[in-house]
Amino acid sequence: KKPKTKKQRQQYEDENLDMELGINKGFAMMDSQLLADYVEAKTRNYEKDLSSVELEDKRIAASWITDTTSYDKSRTMENLPNFLEKFVQNPTKLWGASKKNGTPHTIVITGAGQRAADLARVLKKMQSKDAQVAKLFAKHIKVSEAISYLKTNRTGMAVGTPKRIEDVMDDGALQVDRLERIVIDASHIDQKKRGNLEMKETHGPLVQLLNRKEFKERYGAKKEGIEIIFF
């Protein structure tokens, strides 16, 4: 049964937390509509001063989100490559890249630099000479270095934080005309039992990035569309 009181909801949520693995197992059970509702509820909670029209503009539609409830393995960092292979129609393309520099097919978004660095390390197994994994986060990497890297390397995947991703998009170094999917690092939790969607400081920039015009006009499109995948 759906928990009714705040205490019941908290107990239900805590039961889905696996502190040993560092994941919130609840996301694995959410279909596209539940994920859309969850993000919207958090937005309403964090941005109470927004009007109903402004909230609607920030809404992530269920039709934009890929249903991943069929994945039966733990959503730990080490399983991210396997997870991606399952939800890509042609997995071999994950090892490829456009001949146009700085034009990834996949962007993975997380909330902190260290976490982004860890994810990039795991995804290196899907890197090749002609398909690099770009690191787009502030930890030890200057924005000028990220821009230079994108402009001089064929990029299959990019891993980063919302603010840095927006910075390199605004510069033009990161181009999204060949982008096929945006992967959100949702299941990971810290020692305080919080994930990227459970903290205002990480939730806000994420939603802002997802609502960029370049993405919104292609979500759900049958041809050259972009899908949102919650990991």
Side-chain angles (χ1 to χ4, degrees):
K1 294 182 179 180
K2 187 177 180 179
K4 296 180 180 180
T5 67
K6 183 177 181 180
K7 184 177 180 180
Q8 287 176 327
R9 288 195 298 270
Q10 187 61 54
Q11 182 179 358
Y12 175 77
E13 291 174 3
D14 286 347
E15 288 174 353
N16 288 322
L17 304 182
D18 188 324
M19 296 306 296
E20 184 177 349
L21 293 178
I23 59 172
N24 182 343
K25 296 183 291 185
F27 285 101
M29 298 179 279
M30 294 186 193
D31 62 15
S32 302
Q33 187 60 60
L34 285 173
L35 286 167
D37 292 344
Y38 187 85
V39 175
E40 182 176 5
K42 291 297 182 182
T43 302
R44 288 180 180 277
N45 183 49
Y46 296 142
E47 304 191 55
K48 294 182 172 66
D49 56 332
L50 295 182
S51 67
S52 58
V53 174
E54 289 172 322
L55 283 168
E56 179 62 25
D57 286 340
K58 287 179 173 285
R59 189 173 70 88
I60 306 302
S63 60
W64 303 347
I65 303 171
T66 298
D67 187 335
T68 61
T69 52
S70 62
Y71 191 70
D72 57 2
K73 295 182 180 180
S74 297
R75 302 195 180 197
T76 57
M77 179 172 60
E78 292 73 19
N79 283 335
L80 178 56
N82 175 265
F83 175 86
L84 290 174
E85 289 180 63
K86 182 174 176 61
F87 295 103
V88 174
Q89 289 186 350
N90 187 350
T92 58
K93 288 187 176 181
L94 290 170
W95 279 263
S98 169
K99 293 182 179 179
K100 186 179 176 183
N101 291 345
T103 310
H105 52 67
T106 302
I107 292 178
V108 180
I109 307 174
T110 190
Q114 184 57 58
R115 176 65 178 176
D118 292 340
L119 290 173
R121 174 178 52 79
V122 169
L123 289 174
K124 271 199 169 183
K125 66 174 292 185
M126 310 184 93
Q127 178 173 278
S128 66
K129 180 181 178 181
D130 295 323
Q132 300 291 310
V133 176
K135 302 174 183 179
L136 306 179
F137 47 88
K139 189 175 180 62
H140 307 312
I141 302 174
K142 297 178 180 179
V143 65
S144 58
E145 293 174 339
I147 289 171
S148 176
Y149 183 89
L150 289 166
K151 288 183 176 180
T152 55
N153 285 278
R154 291 174 61 182
T155 305
M157 297 186 186
V159 184
T161 52
K163 179 62 169 62
R164 177 56 59 87
I165 291 171
E166 288 217 73
D167 287 342
V168 292
M169 284 181 67
D170 290 340
D171 176 83
L174 179 68
Q175 301 184 49
V176 297
D177 52 301
R178 307 291 176 84
L179 188 66
E180 298 177 22
R181 65 196 61 84
I182 297 173
V183 182
I184 299 172
D185 182 33
S187 298
H188 171 70
I189 54 174
D190 61 18
Q191 291 301 311
K192 295 183 179 180
K193 304 179 180 180
R194 304 171 304 175
N196 293 322
L197 297 174
E198 289 73 52
M199 294 183 284
K200 183 177 181 179
E201 61 268 28
T202 53
H203 178 278
L206 171 61
V207 171
Q208 177 177 306
L209 174 60
L210 292 176
N211 275 284
R212 283 185 69 112
K213 181 181 178 182
E214 301 97 312
F215 299 148
K216 290 188 76 172
E217 61 188 15
R218 290 174 56 200
Y219 287 142
K222 292 183 179 180
K223 186 178 181 181
E224 298 183 350
I226 296 175
E227 59 180 337
I228 299 175
I229 304 177
F230 284 79
F231 176 60

